[in-house]
Amino acid sequence: MGTTTIRVDTATHSRLLELSRATGASLIETVRDATEALSRQRFAHQVAAELDELRQNPRAWEAYLAEADDTSVSDGIG
């Protein structure tokens, strides 16, 4: 995997270094982890917004719940 240079302000660089040192990870690993965390956070916010919008339409929400119920898979516990 190749690398590239990115510019960040000194405060952000300091915070990244602190995070790296606290976990024993490299700076590259820390930036990679931060990028993944931000990506997951944005995805979660998008899903929450879409569910909120769906809840505004009672018919659509009921259809969603029915479909979720029909397609659910048991976890095998209990």
Side-chain angles (χ1 to χ4, degrees):
M1 180 183 324
T3 63
T4 190
T5 301
I6 61 171
R7 291 185 176 277
V8 296
D9 57 74
T10 54
T12 300
H13 184 258
S14 294
R15 292 182 70 194
L16 288 167
L17 286 175
E18 286 175 21
L19 290 167
S20 295
R21 290 180 184 131
T23 61
S26 70
L27 191 55
I28 290 173
E29 291 169 325
T30 301
V31 171
R32 187 181 303 123
D33 290 348
T35 302
E36 180 63 24
L38 179 59
S39 178
R40 289 173 181 265
Q41 180 187 52
R42 287 183 176 174
F43 175 77
H45 285 296
Q46 180 64 36
V47 169
E50 290 175 11
L51 286 172
D52 286 343
E53 185 177 329
L54 194 58
R55 282 188 193 99
Q56 301 303 312
N57 180 334
R59 182 175 285 163
W61 182 245
E62 286 298 322
Y64 167 78
L65 292 177
E67 183 178 344
D69 207 30
D70 289 344
T71 59
S72 67
V73 177
S74 173
D75 61 10
I77 298 174

